[in-house]
Amino acid sequence: MTRNLRKKPLKEANIKVLPGRYLSREAHGLNPGENHVLLALVADLKQCEEFIQRLKKIL
């Protein structure tokens, strides 16, 4: 997971993330998802807006 994001604040904010490397494929010896996180905003607009506010508080 990206070094700037720590598990405890994410857990306390009820935010789930995946390391970017999980869904990317290595190419030329590098993983383009390394040092990135994946966030999926698939809920309704109000819930996504609430998520953004929670995320802003911990960044």
Side-chain angles (χ1 to χ4, degrees):
M1 185 173 301
T2 303
R3 290 182 190 124
N4 294 336
L5 290 175
R6 300 290 181 234
K7 289 181 182 181
K8 186 176 180 184
L10 289 172
K11 186 174 183 178
E12 290 172 357
N14 196 28
I15 295 174
K16 307 276 190 252
V17 298
L18 287 175
R21 69 181 181 274
Y22 280 14
L23 294 178
S24 58
R25 193 179 333 177
E26 193 169 299
H28 308 291
L30 300 173
N31 187 318
E34 193 70 38
N35 297 319
H36 292 79
V37 295
L38 300 174
L39 305 170
L41 300 177
V42 296
D44 64 47
L45 181 59
K46 183 178 181 200
Q47 289 176 314
C48 289
E49 289 170 340
E50 291 169 357
F51 163 80
I52 295 297
Q53 294 308 312
R54 290 194 316 268
L55 184 60
K56 286 167 101 177
K57 287 180 181 179
I58 63 173
L59 291 181

